[in-house]
Amino acid sequence: MTASSQSAGKAGAVYGTDSANPRLRLEIDDFAQDNEVVNLFLLALTELMRSDNYTDRFSWFQIAGIHGMPFVEWDGISSATGVEQINDVPGAKKTHFAPNDTHQEGYCSHSSILFPTWHRGYQSMIEQSVFNKMGDLALLYPAGAEQQKYLAAVQRFRYPYWDPIMPRQVRKAGAPWNSIFDIPALLKAQTVYLRIPSDPTKLIPTQNPLYQYDFPSAYTKWDDQPPFQWATETGGRIPKRGANSTIRCPSGNPQVTDNQNLTASLVSQTPALGEKFWNLFAIPKNYDEFSNTNWAPNPQNPELKPQNSLEGWHNDIHNIVGSGSNGLSGHMGWPQYAGFDPIFWMHHCNVDRSLAIYQGLQPHEWVTPHPGQETFVIPQGTVEQSNTPLLPIRKAAGNVFWNSDGYRDWRVLGYQTLNSLYNLTNPQPLKQWLYDTYYWASKTGSKIPPASLGYPKDLSRTEALTGKSNSSSVPIVGSGPIVGSGAPISHKQVQHDQAPPASNPTPPTQPAQPVQASQAHGAQAAQVPLQNPGGAQPPAQPPHGGVAFDSSHLSGLVKQGKIRIWTANIRVKKFAVDGSFNIHIFLGNFNQDPNTWIDEKNSVGVDGIFANNKTAKCANCDKQRLEGIYDVDVMPLTAALIPYYKSGEIVPPPGEDGGVPGLALGSLEPEHVIPFLQRNLHWRVTDIGANEIPREKVSDLAIMVSSTIMDLPTPENPLGHHGPTTVHVEITDSRQGGLDRGDHF
């Protein structure tokens, strides 16, 4: 803890953790290697979630509620405060709310250029709160070596992120390649084992605060402030107030998380997430295209194609975690409740990391002026820009708020999100790192995680999971200057209790050694400064080694280093359905029961539309609903097509579809793919409770298929190159929800 961080909490401001010494945020399974940090982190979450603590402005309840329900002012920041702040921006056009505006309380920035940056400050708010609580708890341990051990652990802490593309399981013989995906163990366990300050020699079984959040029973305004009622707010699709806990992927029991259901969804849907994540960076985008899903027709260029965005990728994960079956859904699938689920914060920590990657690749791109979406604190018609105040995220006491420019260099908030090579004149090392880390999971990747990835991680030393004392915890040890901080990353290895080695479920294959920052997920050993545009840095040498550039798994499909890739482009009205919904893309026949669609074997992927329902009092959402705002995304098809080419399989198989002969896929060229997709590409729509919604009732749903010639990655260009796009409207013409001939996307 630091004095500045504690004083920020008292002032209702966000200073972050320790800006003088930014530390690396770690992937959750790297984070799990440090027993002292994990122990304090889980204890701090438990304290912040206490039901008798919900009135504190930096409690879990209060911070999570900023994202949506219970739709009350946070710390007295009103709509009038918003108007005052925006009108004080130099050069801003004076604005005001309409006289009859109902000022519905919602601070959310979605479908907006401010989506990534608003959430950056919001993430730092919870990080700061946890950091301070960990410091308070460390002081409760017995004075001396024990207390110093935990105080050192506080300084190593930064909020962990969840990267869903990292393998969590070892692939078993004969299992499909995507069986490696799962929810991280620390998010999946219902019970954890913690050393409490009053008796740190014992590991006490405790309810895992990362598994669920229990709503405070004393808070009655859920029901006494109409129209919110647990029983009716979502038509019974999330738990009634009596359940009192966040849940994920429910199936039979509406009050219980179904981990098996969630694992099945991740196994099925992570391949598409991996392809989309690669495309976020491999296909160049301006900031507007990268940042959010909002799209409007362009009369000057009616054939302009949408691209996948950071917000769209983020939406998919919300819906995957929140989608249940049998009419039930979890909190992550509803914007007004999502912030209460502990998985939300690790997801958004990764979203912020993704923004940082984009900044490293395109440092001159940033928030561009754009007509904004109305919120409780931003009036309709406001032009949002990089200096727009990001309410309610205070920078100092009183009404002083952060804007996007203020933490464009995120280290001012006390964390380092990539200990990587950022260089305005040489992005090559960052591109190489992306190739090494993610290309295997991309549309043309091998689908075999490289050994250098280091996943799945060995968690047998994680005391919180095993309940067994371990003297060989492996904290991340960093050694690389944080330029501008005046201090290096120096995560000193903690002296652990010298207890006898425990018998672990999965014994390590070698003695425990400190993990260097260069070995941690998302890290490089060397680093140069990240700066805003204006001062070029000396060229940096590319990292040594790396994953070989190999396309042998694409035999027969590559011509002179090029391959044709295929994409389904998706456009729909964001509020076409009452609440969040999923657009399912299939290649081949599929089960007619919509409860099976999210993990259907022929599922290409799910496009998640993350939207409040009509009864949610969200001013931003109401405005978007009235305007008929569009949501756009893409679904890569190439990785789903390649196995059909390799196998020569007839699709549909003989005997299906009334005996009409199926087709084999002879290549990825249009003469073969077009008839194959005409016959085998299907799409359906469900809400996040797996209730099917007829396509004709989904406003302006349009699926369009396009293809592009891609230059495969090379040592000189690790991200490859995408050429011009060709639209193949004949694939979807005259099909329900498909783009017809003569229509513009």
Side-chain angles (χ1 to χ4, degrees):
M1 64 187 161
T2 63
S4 61
S5 181
Q6 287 189 319
S7 63
K10 294 176 182 178
V14 176
Y15 293 178
T17 48
D18 183 1
S19 60
N21 191 19
R23 305 285 181 134
L24 188 65
R25 283 179 176 172
L26 299 174
E27 210 280 331
I28 180 60
D29 282 357
D30 272 326
F31 181 88
Q33 308 298 318
D34 191 333
N35 281 326
E36 281 74 36
V37 172
V38 170
N39 189 81
L40 273 181
F41 174 58
L42 296 176
L43 285 174
L45 292 182
T46 300
E47 284 294 300
L48 291 170
M49 292 178 178
R50 279 173 41 190
S51 61
D52 60 352
N53 188 39
Y54 75 88
T55 58
D56 184 281
R57 58 184 165 185
F58 281 106
S59 68
W60 188 271
F61 179 83
Q62 292 290 332
I63 295 176
I66 289 171
H67 200 263
M69 294 298 294
F71 295 124
V72 295
E73 290 181 6
W74 183 81
D75 205 24
I77 297 171
S78 66
S79 55
T81 308
V83 171
E84 174 186 308
Q85 290 293 310
I86 291 169
N87 287 339
D88 282 347
V89 172
K93 181 182 177 181
K94 299 299 180 183
T95 187
H96 59 84
F97 283 101
N100 60 346
D101 198 298
T102 56
H103 302 300
Q104 301 295 353
E105 290 137 348
Y107 295 98
C108 56
S109 283
H110 290 268
S111 300
S112 159
I113 58 164
L114 299 181
F115 163 76
T117 55
W118 187 88
H119 284 85
R120 171 169 284 179
Y122 189 43
Q123 179 70 39
S124 285
M125 184 183 287
I126 198 75
E127 184 172 51
Q128 172 181 286
S129 183
V130 174
F131 180 78
N132 287 339
K133 184 59 68 175
M134 287 172 65
D136 294 341
L137 290 167
L139 292 171
L140 298 179
Y141 283 84
E146 192 76 13
Q147 187 178 98
Q148 291 305 311
K149 179 174 67 175
Y150 283 103
L151 286 171
V154 176
Q155 296 307 314
R156 293 197 301 277
F157 168 77
R158 296 298 183 269
Y159 217 92
Y161 63 89
W162 167 41
D163 186 344
I165 304 165
M166 291 301 105
R168 309 292 165 181
Q169 305 290 342
V170 176
R171 182 182 178 184
K172 297 178 180 178
W177 79 270
N178 52 331
S179 61
I180 61 179
F181 300 117
D182 201 350
I183 195 77
L186 272 175
L187 288 163
K188 193 175 185 178
Q190 296 184 47
T191 300
V192 288
Y193 302 88
L194 303 180
R195 298 182 186 274
I196 61 175
S198 60
D199 191 358
T201 63
K202 297 178 182 177
L203 285 164
I204 308 298
T206 308
Q207 177 179 305
N208 183 8
L210 291 174
Y211 182 72
Q212 67 185 32
Y213 169 66
D214 296 334
F215 292 95
S217 57
Y219 190 82
T220 60
K221 291 184 179 179
W222 298 111
D223 289 328
D224 66 13
Q225 287 192 352
F228 181 77
Q229 292 182 346
W230 282 96
T232 60
E233 178 70 9
T234 60
R237 287 173 284 179
I238 68 165
K240 297 179 174 62
R241 182 169 180 253
N244 214 34
S245 304
T246 57
I247 59 170
R248 305 164 190 156
C249 282
S251 55
N253 188 333
Q255 300 182 14
V256 176
T257 287
D258 188 332
N259 274 332
Q260 185 175 355
N261 210 22
L262 179 53
T263 295
S265 296
L266 288 169
V267 166
S268 175
Q269 297 303 319
T270 303
L273 291 176
E275 296 174 53
K276 287 185 174 186
F277 190 78
W278 175 261
N279 286 348
L280 275 176
F281 310 109
I283 303 176
K285 303 169 179 66
N286 62 40
Y287 178 86
D288 196 4
E289 294 167 330
F290 172 82
S291 63
N292 71 98
T293 57
N294 190 3
W295 177 83
N298 185 344
Q300 282 71 45
N301 186 6
E303 289 296 336
L304 183 66
K305 311 305 182 302
Q307 302 185 59
N308 67 310
S309 65
L310 178 60
E311 185 181 16
W313 185 80
H314 144 277
N315 291 351
D316 293 344
I317 295 171
H318 267 281
N319 280 22
I320 290 168
V321 175
S323 289
S325 55
N326 301 307
L328 303 172
S329 56
H331 293 78
M332 269 287 280
W334 298 86
Q336 63 267 45
Y337 312 115
F340 292 105
D341 189 331
I343 203 172
F344 171 96
W345 298 97
M346 291 191 190
H347 170 43
H348 271 277
C349 200
N350 195 39
V351 169
D352 183 60
R353 170 177 166 269
S354 304
L355 172 60
I357 294 172
Y358 176 80
Q359 289 180 249
L361 291 173
Q362 302 199 57
H364 296 281
E365 285 286 342
W366 193 233
V367 180
T368 49
H370 197 283
Q373 304 300 321
E374 182 176 340
T375 74
F376 178 57
V377 288
I378 299 179
Q380 183 175 350
T382 300
V383 175
E384 294 174 337
Q385 49 197 0
S386 64
N387 60 355
T388 298
L390 300 173
L391 281 67
I393 305 163
R394 286 194 180 96
K395 188 175 183 178
N399 289 332
V400 181
F401 297 92
W402 286 99
N403 59 36
S404 302
D405 289 336
Y407 44 53
R408 183 173 183 174
D409 183 341
W410 53 84
R411 292 171 302 178
V412 301
L413 295 171
Y415 68 91
Q416 179 63 290
T417 191
L418 283 171
N419 193 22
S420 188
L421 292 166
Y422 286 99
N423 192 295
L424 297 182
T425 61
N426 183 17
Q428 194 76 0
L430 184 56
K431 291 180 179 180
Q432 179 68 46
W433 172 80
L434 278 166
Y435 177 90
D436 292 347
T437 309
Y438 293 106
Y439 181 68
W440 66 275
S442 75
K443 52 188 172 286
T444 52
S446 67
K447 307 302 184 287
I448 301 173
S452 60
L453 200 64
Y455 278 76
K457 297 289 183 181
D458 176 13
L459 301 179
S460 62
R461 301 184 189 94
T462 304
E463 292 182 343
L465 293 172
T466 66
K468 297 177 181 179
S469 180
N470 200 300
S471 61
S472 56
S473 175
V474 193
I476 301 297
V477 179
S479 61
I482 296 292
V483 178
S485 70
I489 295 180
S490 182
H491 297 178
K492 297 180 181 178
Q493 188 175 10
V494 174
Q495 298 298 314
H496 299 278
D497 296 333
Q498 299 302 311
S503 174
N504 293 314
T506 309
T509 57
Q510 58 187 12
Q513 298 292 330
V515 178
Q516 300 298 321
S518 59
Q519 296 171 272
H521 178 54
Q524 295 279 359
Q527 183 183 4
V528 296
L530 168 68
Q531 295 186 356
N532 291 338
Q537 299 299 318
Q541 294 300 314
H544 65 277
V547 178
F549 292 84
D550 180 19
S551 61
S552 59
H553 59 286
L554 301 173
S555 177
L557 298 173
V558 179
K559 299 176 182 177
Q560 298 180 332
K562 301 177 186 294
I563 187 172
R564 186 178 291 272
I565 61 171
W566 293 81
T567 303
N569 303 267
I570 303 165
R571 183 205 70 200
V572 69
K573 293 283 183 70
K574 179 176 179 178
F575 293 97
V577 173
D578 187 20
S580 297
F581 60 101
N582 293 323
I583 300 172
H584 302 259
I585 305 294
F586 304 102
L587 199 54
N589 286 348
F590 55 94
N591 194 309
Q592 294 305 300
D593 179 5
N595 287 299
T596 69
W597 288 352
I598 200 163
D599 58 355
E600 161 69 41
K601 70 181 182 68
N602 285 334
S603 171
V604 177
V606 166
D607 176 32
I609 313 300
F610 188 53
N612 278 307
N613 59 327
K614 291 179 181 177
T615 57
K617 293 301 178 181
C618 169
N620 184 4
C621 308
D622 290 343
K623 176 177 180 286
Q624 293 174 11
R625 188 176 288 109
L626 289 171
E627 291 183 347
I629 187 173
Y630 284 98
D631 189 290
V632 296
D633 206 348
V634 300
M635 184 64 66
L637 300 175
T638 310
L641 289 167
I642 289 174
Y644 288 112
Y645 164 77
K646 288 185 174 181
S647 68
E649 179 183 350
I650 302 295
V651 189
E656 293 188 13
D657 279 6
V660 178
L663 295 171
L665 185 61
S667 75
L668 290 183
E669 296 308 310
E671 61 267 26
H672 291 119
V673 174
I674 289 173
F676 189 85
L677 292 181
Q678 285 174 324
R679 182 68 189 280
N680 294 301
L681 181 67
H682 307 286
W683 53 91
R684 294 293 186 271
V685 181
T686 64
D687 64 20
I688 58 172
N691 297 300
E692 183 175 8
I693 301 165
R695 287 168 292 171
E696 63 272 15
K697 294 186 178 180
V698 181
S699 301
D700 277 8
L701 173 64
I703 308 294
M704 175 188 77
V705 177
S706 61
S707 70
T708 302
I709 299 297
M710 172 187 170
D711 293 326
L712 289 173
T714 64
E716 296 73 30
N717 188 3
L719 302 186
H721 174 74
H722 292 73
T725 297
T726 302
V727 176
H728 304 281
V729 69
E730 61 270 37
I731 295 172
T732 56
D733 182 44
S734 301
R735 298 179 64 183
Q736 187 68 56
L739 187 74
D740 292 333
R741 297 179 191 271
D743 287 349
H744 294 303
F745 192 77

